[in-house]
């Protein structure tokens, strides 16, 4: 679907399920994300990916390394969550297995996703959210040219009160 020098971004396939489940069970990978508590929740996540692609023409896609077909993570787009300040906005996000951190894969995939969005969608901007402690993620947002929305912090309605994941910060990039 999207190809870069080192990566292929494509829809999830049945063969990807085991690698995705391994990611979901890795505490370091999921440290700043809502937990995927069991395999039924994983199946629901995969179903949402397919539904988003069918309805909107985009989703969180599998990131596969071209040289060996390794599943590195996911990266893509989705509509911003209901009852949040980004509701209806075009949201970019990513998640990679630990073995692939620090090698530029997330940036390559995210930049390719942004380039795809500007070429195929009419969105005036793309947003991203994370928790304040996820410095790696918001650092990538800044390297992509995204800017912090100073008055855009919010408590995520899908996160339990008292959770360290409740507060979210927002980044945005305008269409070039």
């Amino acid at each position: 679907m999207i190809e870069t020098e080192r990566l292929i971004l494509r829809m999830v396939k049945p063969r990807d399920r085991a690698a995705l489940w391994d990611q979901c069970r890795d505490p370091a990978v999921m440290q700043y994300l809502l937990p995927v508590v069991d395999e039924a929740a994983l199946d629901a996540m995969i179903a949402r990916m397919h539904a988003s692609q069918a309805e909107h023409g985009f989703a969180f896609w599998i990131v596969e390394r071209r040289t060996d077909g390794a599943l590195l993570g996911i990266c893509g787009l989705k509509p911003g969550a209901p009852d949040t300040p980004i509701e209806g906005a075009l949201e970019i996000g990513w998640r990679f297995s630990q073995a692939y951190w620090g090698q530029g894969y997330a940036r390559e995939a995210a930049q390719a996703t942004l380039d795809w969005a500007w070429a195929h969608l009419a969105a005036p901007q793309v947003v991203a959210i994370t928790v304040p402690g996820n410095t790696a993620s918001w650092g990538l947002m800044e390297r992509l040219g995204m800017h912090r929305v100073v008055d855009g912090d919010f408590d995520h309605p899908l996160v339990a009160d008292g959770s360290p994941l409740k507060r979210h910060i927002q980044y945005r990039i305008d269409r070039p």
Side-chain angles (χ1 to χ4, degrees), residues 8-171:
I8 297 170
L9 281 70
R10 59 165 175 79
M11 274 307 300
V12 62
K13 297 178 181 178
R15 72 174 192 244
D16 302 322
R17 191 176 182 285
L20 289 174
W21 182 232
D22 286 345
Q23 279 188 344
C24 293
R25 293 182 306 181
D26 184 334
V29 171
M30 301 303 291
Q31 179 179 2
Y32 300 114
L33 302 171
L34 291 176
V36 179
V37 295
D38 56 29
E39 292 190 55
L42 173 65
D43 291 339
M45 181 186 86
I46 292 170
R48 284 190 305 274
M49 293 164 78
H50 282 287
S52 180
Q53 184 69 36
E55 181 177 350
H56 305 292
F58 54 81
F60 278 14
W61 299 302
I62 295 297
V63 179
E64 179 180 288
R65 190 167 45 203
R66 290 177 67 143
T67 57
D68 62 2
L71 189 152
L72 310 183
I74 57 176
C75 183
L77 303 163
K78 71 180 194 80
D83 301 319
T84 69
I86 65 165
E87 181 173 1
L90 186 60
E91 179 185 353
I92 188 172
W94 47 80
R95 180 183 83 197
F96 284 77
S97 295
Q98 277 190 81
Y100 308 113
W101 293 358
Q103 299 174 53
Y105 292 125
R107 182 173 184 173
E108 188 174 333
Q111 186 62 61
T113 299
L114 284 174
D115 293 344
W116 184 92
W118 303 139
H120 295 93
L121 304 172
Q125 61 193 358
V126 173
V127 300
I129 61 173
T130 191
V131 298
N134 191 352
T135 57
S137 193
W138 58 258
L140 175 54
M141 293 170 193
E142 290 177 357
R143 287 189 302 280
L144 291 167
M146 301 184 92
H147 300 283
R148 174 94 185 262
V149 179
V150 177
D151 59 350
D153 295 5
F154 66 98
D155 289 338
H156 203 295
L158 297 178
V159 179
D161 290 343
S163 168
L165 303 179
K166 184 74 172 175
R167 195 71 174 163
H168 276 63
I169 60 175
Q170 182 185 161
Y171 277 76

